[in-house]
Every structure is written in structure tokens, then in C-alpha cells.
Amino acid sequence: MVSLALEGVEARYGRKQILTDASTPEIEGGMLTALVGANAAGKSTLFRRIAGQLRGAGRVRLSGAEAGDLRYMPQDTAMSAALTVYESIILALKQGTGGWRLSPRELAAVDAVLHRFGIDHLAQRQLPELSGGQRQSVSIAQTLVTRPKLVLMDEPTSALDLYRQYEVLEALRRYAEETGAVVILALHDLNQVMRACTTTLALAEGRILATGPTLEVLTPALIRRLYGIDSRVERCSRGCPMMIVDGPAPHPPGQQVGT
Amino acid sequence: MSAVTTNSTSHALDYRAGVARRLAILLSLTGLLVLSVAVDVSLGPARYPLGDVFRTIFAPGAAELQMRVVIWDIRMPMALLAVTVGASLSLAGAQMQTILANPLASPFTLGLSAAASFGAAMAMVLGVALFPAAVELMVPLNAFAMAMAASLLIFGLSTLRGVTVETIVLLGIALVFTFNAALALMQYFASEQALAAVVFWTMGSLTKATWGKVAVTAAILLVCTPLFARRAWALTAIRLGETRAAAMGVPVRRLRLEALLLVSLLAAVPVAFVGTIGFIGIVGPHVARLLLGEDQRFFLPGAMLSGAVILSATSVLSKAILPGAVLPIGIITALVGVPFFAALILTKGRKSW
């Protein structure tokens, strides 16, 4: 099993400090972990710091996997090269290798990931012809084709319709289960988080406020602190937890509550 | 489950078919190139029967002296220089477009040609040799030095923090205007004879081809091509966008700098030898992209081949249009190439840019 822990991780853009002393307990693989926080809380920066694209103080401790086993899917899914979807996934698979030829096993891996995310039918389409949602599905397939053990995805469902959101989250959950990978998803829909993610990391102003089981982290108090929204977390008639929004809290997001 | 398996294998089959199709296209381009070079060698102000031409090529010892000189010392270097220069400029343009994410990037639009013209004019008008040790080669050497200086300037600035791809392209355009203005100023003060020489040089011409120039350009291609080939996957990934490539583990910044250095060399040398042949660096890559897509495994050889075919065919045209005369090739590339190119883009316009 793979696990990830952060120890006092920091990151800055130029002089601007974005992440401050981000620490977490051990985040276990094999299930989905959510990263929640308001816009500009530092979610993408945290991902890029873990992915090694940014440097800074602190330690990213990964056990059960090599650093090369990490894949990060950025939020921006624009892709305009004259390539087919199939070729673009081959590209992700062959990155970092020198060989030009593809083995039957590699082609099978491409086929498998297309199938896993329900985009078989897009295989021969050109990238510029795809809709936003289709591009997002292709991005997800590109990210997972190498079967990475640590996956960081920045809003992987933001352009998908309701059915595809469910389908993709379910596929990601199964992927984590099968491979034991640590899969962290930055998500905005807290109901989605409650349904799909076992663990949640909450980030505000570059600091990690809480890490733990989703329902213990996502309390009305924390949601108010993160988003400035008054809400309740209740059980639906079938017993599943749900967040109900009551309205904006007196304090807008980003403002320190209680100071 | 069986439906899934059939479906999956059909993708792999489609992929294999696509590979075969593109290999066939590359092979056809090669055939076309051989044909064009053959026609190029057989054409010229002096008319020789085709059979004699080939006999001279394959058995030079048996041919009469005059014909041997014409074929071996004049036409063959010219025809082969068209190939190496076409391939170099097209490859340079292709990789500039790739790393700068800009369909208009080429040795011409980034100011390398303008810088080379300025360097050449310095030699022809002012008699200034940037390398005093080799005065007889001062025109190409000056041109090379200025083109290299221009690309190293761009290279140096692009290593600075916060310099984006757009900045580099804008800077290139600024260089074009600067060097053109400096060139115009020099032309204004030039003697009539020097003026004629400068104007002729800037038109671009293969007529001063020698085996030495063929060898130098070929050697540079032989050095640069494998270096690009080794980075084929990373270069293709960069076309998906910087963030996406970085997410795939491509060291975008380093790759861009390495490619820019190679491209400088690839562009500066041919430009120094043949003058301004602006069009190849843009059209060659675009033709290759339309035919083969942007997978560098095919795009890289494809861009070189299409550039070589285009310049070789242009060389044929430059002799065929006015029998007995060889028109400057830089003029033909633009006159014939532009309408062809426009038609190609408008009829088969993919939305890749």
C-alpha cells in the first residue's frame, strides 16, 4: 500500500508565500482523498509542490512508491495539437522512454484506460474537435495510463455532466482500490466529496486546516471557515450524508474568522 | 466482455494502420524527392539528353570533361544543396513552431534571415569581415555570425525569468524590423555595384553551391536530427501545452532551450550559404503537419522531407520558367509557394492552431 505525508511543506511564487507549514498525517492509498478549499486557497500550488514542479522548504514523504510514480493532472485541459485521442494517450505512456515502437502490451494499456473511462468511441478523434468534457476525460486517461501510484488531479470533474461525474469518480475509486494508489482530487462540490472520498484535506490561505475522515472534517464550522457559507450536514432518507446550503455567512471567504 | 475485446483490438489495429499510412506517406515523399533531384540535375541552361546525364552521374570517368564539370561541379551540388537547405530550414521552422507554440515561427519571422542579410551586407557594402582570418569567405561568415548572434540573443533572453513564448516571438519580430532598417540604411549609402550584390544576395540563390557547402549543411543535419529524435515524445508533448507537458514530466524549460540552440545552428548555416529563402521554414512544417499530424516520430522526418521536396521542386521551377535562365530561388518559393500554401490550408484546414 502507498501512503503520503507532508511535513512542514512551503511554497512561494517569487516573494509571495502561497503555502505555509503544510503538514498532514499519513494519507493512505487505496481510496479517494479530497482536497477542498476556496479559490486561490493554494490547492494547485500544493499539487505542484508535491509533484516537484515547485521547490520550497519541508518534506513530501512518499512510501511504497517511487517519485517517478507520480502523475499530476492540471486544471487546464486545453489541448490543440494535431493528434488523435489515441496518440495523445500513447504520448503520456511513452513519455520519458526513448523507444519509438509500441509493444502489444503498451497498446493494450492504452485500450484499457480508454475503456476504463468510457471514451473508447473517442479514440480516433482529433484533439481540437473535442468538447470541454471530452477533453477532461481524455486528460484523466492520459494521467492514469502509466498506472501511477500517486495521482493528483485538479478538479477532474469540473467540465463533466452529472452522469459522467458519477462515472469518472466511480472509475477513479475503483482504480485506487485496485492499485492501492494515493489519489487526491481537488473538488468544489462537497456533496461529491462526501459521496466519493474517504479522506479530506481542507486548505485555506495556504494552510492545511484539517485532514481526516471526510465527515469528521467537513463540519458546518469548517465549511463556514473555508467558503463563508452557512450550511448543515444532514442524512438523506437513505442515510447518505448531504450538505445543505443555507446562505452566505456574515464573513466572506478568505477573511479570518474569529480574529 | 467479448464486445469490449473486439473494440479494444480494433483501436490497436486502427493505430497500426495509421502508422502504416504515415510510413507510406514518408516513403512517397522520399520517392518524390529522388525524382525531383533527378529532374533538377538534368535541367539547366545547357541541354543534355537524360541518358547522358545519368551516365555522367554513375560513371563520371567515361563522360566528356565539359559535361562532367557541369553535372558534377555545378548541377549536383546545387540540387543537393536544395535538399539539405530545404530540410534544415524546414526542420528549424518545425521545431521553432513546436517549442514556441506559434504557427508563424520560422527562421525568417524570428529575425535570423534579416540578421544574416545584415551581416552579408556588412561584408559587401562596408567590406567589414567579422572573421578577418578568412576574408574570401566573409559574406557567408558574416551572415552566419549575425544569424547566430540574433538567435543567441533570443536564446539568452528566453532564459530570463518570466519570459514567455509570446515575448520571444514579439522579440523576433522586433529583430526583423531592426535588421531590415539597418540593412536599408546600408543600402542607401552603398555603391551601385555593392547594392546590386546585396539585393541579389537577399533574394536567395543556390547558384553558388559547392560540395563543401553541401557537406557542411548535411553534417549539421546529421548532428541535429538524432538529438531531436531522442526527444520526440517530449517535443510532441510540448504541443499539448506547457502545463500539460510539465505534468507528463517533460522538463519544458530545458527542452525549449536545447531545441532553440539546435534550431539556431540549423537555420543560421543555410541562410549564410543561400541568402533569404523565407518560405520553406513555414510551409515545410505545415505541409508535414497536414499530411502526418504532430507525432514527432513522423512529423520530424516529414518536415525535413517536405522542406527538401519543396526547395528541390522550386529549384526545378527556377530553371524551367525562363529557359536558359536561373531565377533567384527565394522569389520562386514565395511566388509559387504562397498560393499553393493558401489553397492547402483553406481546403484541408484542421483546427490545430
Side-chain angles (χ1 to χ4, degrees):
Chain A
M1 197 62 87
V2 186
S3 69
L4 171 82
L6 304 181
E7 293 171 0
V9 164
E10 316 234 324
R12 47 175 66 234
Y13 286 121
R15 288 198 171 169
K16 193 159 182 249
Q17 182 97 17
I18 310 285
L19 288 178
T20 314
D21 192 26
S23 299
T24 67
E26 210 78 24
I27 299 169
E28 296 291 333
M31 55 203 179
L32 298 184
T33 301
L35 173 62
V36 300
N39 294 334
K43 299 190 294 294
S44 303
T45 307
L46 180 62
F47 277 168
R48 295 189 57 203
R49 175 64 183 80
I50 296 174
Q53 291 186 11
L54 295 173
R55 287 173 206 284
R59 240 172 68 123
V60 175
R61 211 153 39 74
L62 187 62
S63 51
E66 305 279 311
D69 260 356
L70 176 152
R71 280 288 178 275
Y72 159 53
M73 177 179 136
Q75 193 177 348
D76 167 31
T77 60
M79 290 184 280
S80 61
L83 294 170
T84 64
V85 167
Y86 201 82
E87 288 172 327
S88 79
I89 294 171
I90 286 177
L91 190 59
L93 179 66
K94 295 291 280 184
Q95 214 51 248
T97 66
W100 279 21
R101 295 184 70 90
L102 280 112
S103 66
R105 234 180 94 210
E106 287 171 323
L107 289 179
V110 177
D111 280 345
V113 81
L114 283 172
H115 183 65
R116 187 186 277 274
F117 291 97
I119 48 172
D120 278 303
H121 61 289
L122 298 179
Q124 299 307 321
R125 294 273 296 276
Q126 291 282 325
L127 291 180
E129 296 169 5
L130 301 181
S131 74
Q134 289 170 332
R135 275 207 305 273
Q136 198 156 41
S137 298
V138 171
S139 288
I140 295 170
Q142 286 173 352
T143 309
L144 294 185
V145 68
T146 54
R147 297 183 73 81
K149 287 294 178 59
L150 172 55
V151 181
L152 311 169
M153 290 185 162
D154 210 340
E155 300 191 30
T157 58
S158 60
L160 301 178
D161 64 42
L162 214 49
Y163 178 81
R164 298 279 306 147
Q165 286 182 18
Y166 175 80
E167 194 182 45
V168 161
L169 284 176
E170 188 51 30
L172 287 172
R173 196 187 57 73
R174 264 185 284 119
Y175 174 83
E177 224 172 69
E178 278 169 39
T179 57
V182 172
V183 178
I184 307 181
L185 313 173
L187 294 171
H188 275 309
D189 181 344
L190 295 186
N191 280 317
Q192 219 174 44
V193 172
M194 289 182 188
R195 205 172 47 232
C197 302
T198 318
T199 312
T200 294
L201 273 167
L203 192 68
E205 295 107 38
R207 290 167 194 275
I208 293 181
L209 299 186
T211 313
T214 298
L215 287 184
E216 287 173 29
V217 170
L218 290 182
T219 58
L222 186 102
I223 292 169
R224 187 180 312 117
R225 169 78 176 80
L226 289 179
Y227 298 104
I229 283 287
D230 274 332
S231 66
R232 288 163 283 151
V233 178
E234 296 188 352
R235 296 270 166 187
C236 75
S237 56
R238 289 183 179 176
C240 51
M242 275 185 70
M243 188 193 84
I244 295 158
V245 174
D246 288 324
H251 299 282
Q255 206 167 315
Q256 296 280 334
V257 179
T259 53
Chain B
M1 206 46 214
S2 68
V4 170
T5 340
T6 2
N7 202 3
S8 304
T9 40
S10 86
H11 290 318
L13 285 180
D14 279 348
Y15 169 74
R16 298 269 187 226
V19 169
R21 183 179 59 80
R22 283 176 291 185
L23 285 177
I25 292 174
L26 287 177
L27 210 64
S28 325
L29 280 174
T30 313
L32 213 59
L33 182 61
V34 171
L35 190 74
S36 171
V37 170
V39 175
D40 199 6
V41 174
S42 66
L43 268 183
R47 311 230 143 201
Y48 299 122
L50 211 56
D52 290 358
V53 170
F54 285 110
R55 228 164 292 136
T56 315
I57 293 174
F58 293 110
E64 59 178 282
L65 182 67
Q66 190 221 353
M67 187 154 175
R68 201 166 70 211
V69 169
V70 167
I71 299 292
W72 274 89
D73 295 347
I74 299 173
R75 289 193 193 172
M76 295 259 285
M78 236 178 111
L80 293 178
L81 193 64
V83 172
T84 55
V85 166
S88 301
L89 290 178
S90 184
L91 179 57
Q95 302 306 20
M96 280 182 177
Q97 290 167 16
T98 301
I99 56 172
L100 299 179
N102 192 311
L104 293 176
S106 82
F108 191 68
T109 44
L110 283 192
L112 268 64
S113 298
S117 301
F118 174 76
M122 257 166 76
M124 291 183 276
V125 177
L126 305 175
V128 174
L130 293 174
F131 299 93
V135 176
E136 67 278 17
L137 286 176
M138 71 178 174
V139 172
L141 280 179
N142 275 10
F144 171 75
M146 289 311 294
M148 214 56 203
S151 51
L152 288 180
L153 178 67
I154 291 179
F155 175 82
L157 286 165
S158 62
T159 59
L160 297 180
R161 257 193 120 67
V163 171
T164 62
V165 162
E166 288 83 0
T167 329
I168 300 176
V169 174
L170 285 175
L171 203 79
I173 293 170
L175 276 187
V176 173
F177 281 102
T178 311
F179 281 116
N180 280 346
L183 180 65
L185 190 68
M186 239 190 305
Q187 286 175 329
Y188 183 76
F189 288 112
S191 70
E192 229 163 89
Q193 204 183 3
L195 184 63
V198 171
V199 168
F200 186 74
W201 194 89
T202 54
M203 283 174 184
S205 163
L206 292 169
T207 47
K208 291 209 177 69
T210 62
W211 282 107
K213 291 177 183 174
V214 174
V216 171
T217 45
I220 288 168
L221 269 179
L222 281 177
V223 170
C224 294
T225 311
L227 292 175
F228 281 125
R230 264 181 48 200
R231 294 161 175 78
W233 295 114
L235 285 165
T236 315
I238 243 178
R239 280 291 296 122
L240 292 178
E242 211 166 304
T243 38
R244 187 139 297 269
M248 287 183 181
V250 176
V252 176
R253 224 181 145 69
R254 208 184 70 206
L255 182 69
R256 184 172 289 145
L257 291 179
E258 287 171 357
L260 211 53
L261 261 187
L262 291 179
V263 158
S264 306
L265 200 62
L266 269 175
V269 173
V271 166
F273 286 160
V274 302
T276 310
I277 301 181
F279 200 58
I280 304 293
I282 287 190
V283 186
H286 280 280
V287 169
R289 197 174 285 115
L290 287 172
L291 288 174
L292 298 154
E294 280 187 287
D295 184 336
Q296 289 260 347
R297 291 176 298 162
F298 307 100
F299 178 57
L300 176 77
M304 287 167 66
L305 279 170
S306 55
V309 168
I310 293 169
L311 197 58
S312 179
T314 312
S315 168
V316 170
L317 271 181
S318 72
K319 296 182 203 170
I321 290 178
L322 273 182
V326 181
L327 296 176
I329 199 161
I331 298 177
I332 313 288
T333 44
L335 274 186
V336 182
V338 172
F340 163 73
F341 182 50
L344 196 70
I345 299 190
L346 291 175
T347 53
K348 212 188 167 193
R350 287 215 191 113
K351 287 175 282 181
S352 51
W353 288 100

